[in-house]
PDB file of all heavy atoms in Angstrom:
ATOM      1  N   GLN A  31     -28.428 156.575 178.022  1.00  0.00           N
ATOM      2  CA  GLN A  31     -29.696 157.228 177.711  1.00  0.00           C
ATOM      3  C   GLN A  31     -29.416 158.521 176.949  1.00  0.00           C
ATOM      4  O   GLN A  31     -28.754 159.418 177.452  1.00  0.00           O
ATOM      5  CB  GLN A  31     -30.488 157.510 178.982  1.00  0.00           C
ATOM      6  CG  GLN A  31     -31.875 158.028 178.697  1.00  0.00           C
ATOM      7  CD  GLN A  31     -32.683 158.249 179.957  1.00  0.00           C
ATOM      8  OE1 GLN A  31     -32.145 158.294 181.053  1.00  0.00           O
ATOM      9  NE2 GLN A  31     -33.981 158.402 179.795  1.00  0.00           N
ATOM     10  N   ILE A  32     -29.919 158.577 175.729  1.00  0.00           N
ATOM     11  CA  ILE A  32     -29.693 159.718 174.851  1.00  0.00           C
ATOM     12  C   ILE A  32     -31.030 160.294 174.439  1.00  0.00           C
ATOM     13  O   ILE A  32     -31.947 159.538 174.074  1.00  0.00           O
ATOM     14  CB  ILE A  32     -28.892 159.298 173.599  1.00  0.00           C
ATOM     15  CG1 ILE A  32     -27.524 158.732 174.002  1.00  0.00           C
ATOM     16  CG2 ILE A  32     -28.731 160.469 172.642  1.00  0.00           C
ATOM     17  CD1 ILE A  32     -26.765 158.101 172.875  1.00  0.00           C
ATOM     18  N   GLN A  33     -31.143 161.600 174.501  1.00  0.00           N
ATOM     19  CA  GLN A  33     -32.328 162.285 173.998  1.00  0.00           C
ATOM     20  C   GLN A  33     -31.928 163.161 172.821  1.00  0.00           C
ATOM     21  O   GLN A  33     -30.832 163.724 172.804  1.00  0.00           O
ATOM     22  CB  GLN A  33     -32.972 163.154 175.077  1.00  0.00           C
ATOM     23  CG  GLN A  33     -33.710 162.385 176.137  1.00  0.00           C
ATOM     24  CD  GLN A  33     -34.391 163.319 177.128  1.00  0.00           C
ATOM     25  OE1 GLN A  33     -33.993 164.459 177.298  1.00  0.00           O
ATOM     26  NE2 GLN A  33     -35.416 162.822 177.780  1.00  0.00           N
ATOM     27  N   ILE A  34     -32.831 163.280 171.881  1.00  0.00           N
ATOM     28  CA  ILE A  34     -32.624 164.122 170.712  1.00  0.00           C
ATOM     29  C   ILE A  34     -33.759 165.118 170.617  1.00  0.00           C
ATOM     30  O   ILE A  34     -34.933 164.722 170.641  1.00  0.00           O
ATOM     31  CB  ILE A  34     -32.526 163.282 169.423  1.00  0.00           C
ATOM     32  CG1 ILE A  34     -31.337 162.322 169.501  1.00  0.00           C
ATOM     33  CG2 ILE A  34     -32.432 164.173 168.203  1.00  0.00           C
ATOM     34  CD1 ILE A  34     -31.251 161.334 168.370  1.00  0.00           C
ATOM     35  N   LEU A  35     -33.411 166.369 170.537  1.00  0.00           N
ATOM     36  CA  LEU A  35     -34.381 167.457 170.348  1.00  0.00           C
ATOM     37  C   LEU A  35     -34.088 168.052 168.987  1.00  0.00           C
ATOM     38  O   LEU A  35     -32.950 168.422 168.703  1.00  0.00           O
ATOM     39  CB  LEU A  35     -34.194 168.505 171.448  1.00  0.00           C
ATOM     40  CG  LEU A  35     -35.016 169.786 171.343  1.00  0.00           C
ATOM     41  CD1 LEU A  35     -36.504 169.486 171.450  1.00  0.00           C
ATOM     42  CD2 LEU A  35     -34.593 170.764 172.432  1.00  0.00           C
ATOM     43  N   PHE A  36     -35.102 168.142 168.137  1.00  0.00           N
ATOM     44  CA  PHE A  36     -34.840 168.632 166.787  1.00  0.00           C
ATOM     45  C   PHE A  36     -36.049 169.338 166.177  1.00  0.00           C
ATOM     46  O   PHE A  36     -37.168 169.205 166.671  1.00  0.00           O
ATOM     47  CB  PHE A  36     -34.374 167.490 165.875  1.00  0.00           C
ATOM     48  CG  PHE A  36     -35.421 166.474 165.521  1.00  0.00           C
ATOM     49  CD1 PHE A  36     -36.058 166.518 164.286  1.00  0.00           C
ATOM     50  CD2 PHE A  36     -35.765 165.471 166.400  1.00  0.00           C
ATOM     51  CE1 PHE A  36     -37.023 165.585 163.955  1.00  0.00           C
ATOM     52  CE2 PHE A  36     -36.716 164.523 166.065  1.00  0.00           C
ATOM     53  CZ  PHE A  36     -37.354 164.585 164.830  1.00  0.00           C
ATOM     54  N   ASP A  37     -35.755 170.099 165.128  1.00  0.00           N
ATOM     55  CA  ASP A  37     -36.794 170.766 164.361  1.00  0.00           C
ATOM     56  C   ASP A  37     -37.291 169.783 163.313  1.00  0.00           C
ATOM     57  O   ASP A  37     -36.598 169.482 162.349  1.00  0.00           O
ATOM     58  CB  ASP A  37     -36.225 172.032 163.694  1.00  0.00           C
ATOM     59  CG  ASP A  37     -37.281 172.837 162.968  1.00  0.00           C
ATOM     60  OD1 ASP A  37     -38.435 172.360 162.832  1.00  0.00           O
ATOM     61  OD2 ASP A  37     -36.953 173.956 162.531  1.00  0.00           O
ATOM     62  N   GLY A  38     -38.494 169.267 163.520  1.00  0.00           N
ATOM     63  CA  GLY A  38     -39.055 168.263 162.628  1.00  0.00           C
ATOM     64  C   GLY A  38     -40.102 168.802 161.684  1.00  0.00           C
ATOM     65  O   GLY A  38     -41.003 168.072 161.269  1.00  0.00           O
ATOM     66  N   THR A  39     -40.008 170.072 161.335  1.00  0.00           N
ATOM     67  CA  THR A  39     -40.995 170.679 160.464  1.00  0.00           C
ATOM     68  C   THR A  39     -40.990 170.024 159.079  1.00  0.00           C
ATOM     69  O   THR A  39     -42.047 169.778 158.512  1.00  0.00           O
ATOM     70  CB  THR A  39     -40.730 172.195 160.337  1.00  0.00           C
ATOM     71  OG1 THR A  39     -40.741 172.757 161.659  1.00  0.00           O
ATOM     72  CG2 THR A  39     -41.797 172.869 159.505  1.00  0.00           C
ATOM     73  N   LYS A  40     -39.822 169.719 158.547  1.00  0.00           N
ATOM     74  CA  LYS A  40     -39.721 169.108 157.228  1.00  0.00           C
ATOM     75  C   LYS A  40     -39.749 167.584 157.334  1.00  0.00           C
ATOM     76  O   LYS A  40     -39.068 167.000 158.184  1.00  0.00           O
ATOM     77  CB  LYS A  40     -38.422 169.543 156.536  1.00  0.00           C
ATOM     78  CG  LYS A  40     -38.338 171.024 156.286  1.00  0.00           C
ATOM     79  CD  LYS A  40     -37.001 171.354 155.664  1.00  0.00           C
ATOM     80  CE  LYS A  40     -36.832 172.845 155.492  1.00  0.00           C
ATOM     81  NZ  LYS A  40     -35.467 173.170 155.015  1.00  0.00           N
ATOM     82  N   GLU A  41     -40.500 166.964 156.465  1.00  0.00           N
ATOM     83  CA  GLU A  41     -40.617 165.507 156.428  1.00  0.00           C
ATOM     84  C   GLU A  41     -39.269 164.839 156.226  1.00  0.00           C
ATOM     85  O   GLU A  41     -38.947 163.852 156.870  1.00  0.00           O
ATOM     86  CB  GLU A  41     -41.587 165.090 155.313  1.00  0.00           C
ATOM     87  CG  GLU A  41     -41.728 163.599 155.146  1.00  0.00           C
ATOM     88  CD  GLU A  41     -42.552 162.938 156.228  1.00  0.00           C
ATOM     89  OE1 GLU A  41     -43.476 163.568 156.747  1.00  0.00           O
ATOM     90  OE2 GLU A  41     -42.249 161.764 156.557  1.00  0.00           O
ATOM     91  N   GLU A  42     -38.445 165.398 155.318  1.00  0.00           N
ATOM     92  CA  GLU A  42     -37.141 164.788 155.045  1.00  0.00           C
ATOM     93  C   GLU A  42     -36.215 164.862 156.256  1.00  0.00           C
ATOM     94  O   GLU A  42     -35.404 163.954 156.478  1.00  0.00           O
ATOM     95  CB  GLU A  42     -36.465 165.402 153.813  1.00  0.00           C
ATOM     96  CG  GLU A  42     -36.249 166.887 153.862  1.00  0.00           C
ATOM     97  CD  GLU A  42     -37.375 167.734 153.258  1.00  0.00           C
ATOM     98  OE1 GLU A  42     -38.464 167.204 153.013  1.00  0.00           O
ATOM     99  OE2 GLU A  42     -37.144 168.925 153.053  1.00  0.00           O
TER     100      GLU A  42
END
Side-chain angles (χ1 to χ4, degrees):
Q31 187 177 15
I32 299 171
Q33 286 183 336
I34 298 173
L35 174 64
F36 70 101
D37 184 352
T39 304
K40 297 178 184 174
E41 177 74 32
E42 57 267 14

